[in-house]
Amino acid sequence: MIVRPGDARYAELAERGYNNRFVATPDEIWLVHCASQVEKAVNQAVAKNQRITVRSGGHCFEGLVDDPQFRLLVDLSEMKNVTFDRTMNAFAVEAGARLGEVYKALYEGWGVTVPGGVCPEVGVGGHVSGGGYGPLSRRHGLVVDHLYAVEVVVADRGGKARTVIATRNAGDPNRDLWWAHTGGGGGGFGIVTRFWFRTPGASGGASALLPQPPARMRKTIVTWPWAQLTEAGFTRMVLNHGAWHAANSAPGSVYSAMHSSLQLHSSLAGTVQLEIRMDATLKDTAKLHDDYIRAVNAGVGLEPTVDVTEGTWLEIALEPTPSYGEYARQKSMGGHLRKPLTEAQVGAIYRSLNDPNHFGAGLVYLAAYGCKINTVESSATAIPQRDSVLKLWYSNNWADPAQDETEVGWLRTLRKNVHGATGGFPVPNGRQDGGYINYPDVDMRDPVQNTSGVPWYSIIWKDNYPRLQRVKNTYDPKNVFRHALSLDPA
Ligand SMILES: Cc1cc2nc3c(=O)[nH]c(=O)nc-3n(C[C@H](O)[C@H](O)[C@H](O)COP(=O)(O)OP(=O)(O)OC[C@H]3O[C@@H](n4cnc5c(N)ncnc54)[C@H](O)[C@@H]3O)c2cc1C
């Protein structure tokens, strides 16, 4: 079905993107149901010289889809089947499915899951292609560590569309196309219509081919009120948290059963929070949980409130992410930390969160990483970060378009002050390990913003970039699939 401006359904489909700063204005929105319809869309776009883009879950933080240059938008939201494919001996997931739909179908059908992101509304199309991580990643690795194959519609040198199935099998001539979808990012190689998942080395019935999540999960919110938090207490907490992750993120750690995110909100929001999600069925769950909170809070100077809930794994996994409501304009940037933030960096964060000229919902988010994630070689997947202990995300949300410059500026100042020694970004070195394409920031491509001397693509993909570029040359030689942060053909 093709929806055009003037159609009652147009606005809802065009405005499906997460960030209200960016608006899509395509001439045509193709709501597709199979790869052959996607091929038609690609053939038309090439023939008519229309810029083409693709949306799955619509949770992109940047304007990589919502950009007026795109005249044909392929919308995969109706392609969300999750089945067990006997021929491939793997779970087939259509690329328009949302994580929550995938978790539900895999768990209710077979008792298994993939270690994807925390937000059930995120779509697999972008999330998997970018190398997604989530609450089970310290135990089971990244979602792409379980990716067996992809079905991708690509355009050849003559611009003709074709559908390629690329697997991780050693003898597969299209193996590099599979590899590019283990973190190379969405929208830069073709349009993925289907993913297949099976854990490497797994055998037996379907229920043995992917990880089984814990039967029950504990979810805890630890809250410190800003009103009682001194700068010394704040600094202590963030340093404690970093030191704890440096000490407890080795493969095989008992704490691989626990995920957490330290959420440092702007002081206007009133609180700083630590969200913990952990396997509730361990003999030592309560002790491990309490020890962790005690370690983070040591010397902070106040007792936080600790709100513990428990539920089945699925109940917790399907809890919606709290909405920012009208605060739907956004700017963010993400990265990886090999070592904890330094005291000077924590000081820069403290000053930004208490900036009296900032009225947005600012956030510095430090998510647990490491353990199983770090058992994989850096070149085995396109996402190269395999020895970090924390994922980092700077974010800001606000409502009023008139505040765009101020609030984007707030995030830039925060980022520059924390990473001033490395040109304003967490460029790879001994302490930090570059960016993350699923937390995109086009500033990386701007030499005024990125003064590190390290190109944006090396910040994200490090030494994997040349191979990704070869995949681009082979499968998208005409650069049909491109956006503000896709890689260029050589
Ligand atoms: C609230 C929220 C929570 C998040 N939590 C996590 C988390 O816990 N862990 C994590 O790793 N990430 C997380 N993310 C980031 C998320 O993984 C990325 O934003 C992801 O790219 C979104 O995918 P999507 O399909 O929903 O987005 P879309 O906006 O549809 O697409 C994002 C990008 O992928 C491309 N793309 C989409 N579908 C396809 C396709 N079928 N084929 C080829 N390219 C495609 C698009 O063109 C675009 O460039 C979160 C994001 C949000 C907004």
Side-chain angles (χ1 to χ4, degrees):
M1 183 175 66
I2 302 175
V3 175
R4 298 187 171 84
D7 187 310
R9 295 162 295 187
Y10 181 87
E12 196 183 330
L13 288 168
E15 292 165 16
R16 215 157 65 69
Y18 182 79
N19 188 344
N20 280 9
R21 273 175 65 218
F22 307 107
V23 184
T25 57
D27 301 319
E28 297 179 359
I29 302 174
W30 287 51
L31 267 170
V32 293
H33 297 90
C34 59
S36 63
Q37 290 174 353
V38 177
E39 284 188 13
K40 274 192 191 141
V42 173
N43 283 333
Q44 175 187 301
V46 173
K48 291 190 176 175
N49 210 12
Q50 287 172 301
R51 292 283 288 108
I52 185 169
T53 185
V54 53
R55 169 142 52 216
S56 289
H59 271 54
C60 189
F61 289 116
E62 272 288 1
L64 307 187
V65 177
D66 297 302
D67 181 330
Q69 69 169 303
F70 295 119
R71 306 318 309 157
L72 193 163
L73 168 62
V74 177
D75 187 311
L76 268 82
S77 54
E78 295 194 358
M79 289 186 67
K80 49 189 183 186
N81 283 335
V82 178
T83 55
F84 184 71
D85 181 338
R86 286 186 192 287
T87 315
M88 297 287 265
N89 194 31
F91 292 92
V93 175
E94 287 187 324
R98 293 181 187 262
L99 287 176
E101 292 163 343
V102 177
Y103 296 154
K104 189 170 188 306
L106 289 179
Y107 190 64
E108 290 183 346
W110 298 274
V112 298
T113 194
V114 286
V118 75
C119 172
E121 294 89 8
V122 162
V124 292
H127 182 72
V128 175
S129 308
Y133 80 102
L136 296 180
S137 288
R138 278 165 61 94
R139 188 180 252 179
H140 296 296
L142 300 179
V143 70
V144 290
D145 296 339
H146 304 267
L147 184 66
Y148 170 64
V150 278
E151 178 181 77
V152 197
V153 175
V154 295
D156 68 16
R157 204 162 289 282
K160 188 169 171 2
R162 66 193 170 104
T163 302
V164 180
I165 292 179
T167 73
R168 67 172 178 235
N169 294 339
D172 187 334
N174 294 306
R175 189 173 190 277
D176 268 6
L177 186 62
W178 161 81
W179 179 82
H181 288 86
T182 60
F189 300 95
I191 296 182
V192 180
T193 43
R194 215 173 346 171
F195 297 98
W196 284 268
F197 294 96
R198 183 190 344 125
T199 304
S203 60
S207 296
L209 299 183
L210 280 177
Q212 296 177 353
R216 293 189 71 73
M217 290 289 280
R218 175 183 281 221
K219 180 178 167 191
T220 300
I221 306 288
V222 184
T223 305
W224 292 264
W226 261 113
Q228 293 162 42
L229 203 50
T230 61
E231 179 167 0
F234 175 89
T235 306
R236 192 68 265 146
M237 174 202 301
V238 183
L239 293 179
N240 287 345
H241 176 263
W244 187 94
H245 280 85
N248 291 281
S249 301
S253 161
V254 284
Y255 275 107
S256 60
M258 189 185 85
H259 174 79
S260 75
S261 56
L262 184 59
Q263 302 172 10
L264 307 170
H265 300 282
S266 298
S267 60
L268 268 184
T271 59
V272 164
Q273 293 183 315
L274 177 67
E275 179 181 316
I276 302 171
R277 293 180 185 224
M278 75 183 293
D279 184 341
T281 66
L282 304 176
K283 186 165 60 69
D284 288 338
T285 296
K287 180 178 183 313
L288 292 168
H289 170 271
D290 294 352
D291 286 353
Y292 174 53
I293 296 172
R294 206 171 301 118
V296 174
N297 195 48
V300 171
L302 70 118
E303 274 312 305
T305 56
V306 180
D307 179 17
V308 182
T309 53
E310 207 186 286
T312 65
W313 173 79
L314 192 60
E315 282 165 352
I316 303 284
L318 295 185
E319 280 181 13
T321 305
S323 160
Y324 277 99
E326 289 192 344
Y327 278 46
R329 306 179 80 77
Q330 219 265 352
K331 175 76 182 169
S332 63
M333 193 270 149
H336 300 85
L337 293 178
R338 287 173 152 149
K339 298 260 163 58
L341 293 167
T342 63
E343 191 164 344
Q345 288 176 311
V346 178
I349 290 172
Y350 181 86
R351 285 189 293 283
S352 275
L353 296 178
N354 288 282
D355 177 351
N357 298 314
H358 147 71
F359 299 97
L363 172 66
V364 175
Y365 184 91
L366 293 161
Y369 217 63
C371 296
K372 182 77 174 182
I373 298 167
N374 292 351
T375 62
V376 174
E377 284 291 313
S378 200
S379 60
T381 55
I383 181 168
Q385 287 83 8
R386 293 295 185 166
D387 59 7
S388 287
V389 296
L390 289 165
K391 197 99 159 182
L392 175 69
W393 186 53
Y394 303 115
S395 163
N396 193 16
N397 277 65
W398 62 98
D400 184 357
Q403 292 303 315
D404 282 4
E405 203 180 318
T406 309
E407 297 301 341
V408 168
W410 177 83
L411 190 118
R412 286 177 174 157
T413 303
L414 163 69
R415 175 177 57 63
K416 281 180 198 162
N417 287 343
V418 180
H419 302 285
T422 50
F425 285 91
V427 298
N429 64 20
R431 302 199 66 86
Q432 51 194 20
D433 203 21
Y436 176 38
I437 191 61
N438 273 341
Y439 291 163
D441 180 0
V442 294
D443 285 355
M444 237 184 255
R445 210 166 182 162
D446 175 356
V448 175
Q449 294 297 327
N450 176 8
T451 57
S452 68
V454 181
W456 69 276
Y457 46 79
S458 298
I459 295 180
I460 297 175
W461 293 296
K462 306 202 305 173
D463 293 344
N464 285 343
Y465 178 71
R467 183 172 171 194
L468 279 170
Q469 207 177 32
R470 286 198 295 276
V471 179
K472 177 80 177 172
N473 290 343
T474 306
Y475 291 95
D476 187 23
K478 282 176 75 87
N479 204 12
V480 170
F481 303 100
R482 62 184 192 275
H483 55 64
L485 278 181
S486 60
L487 32 77
D488 299 322

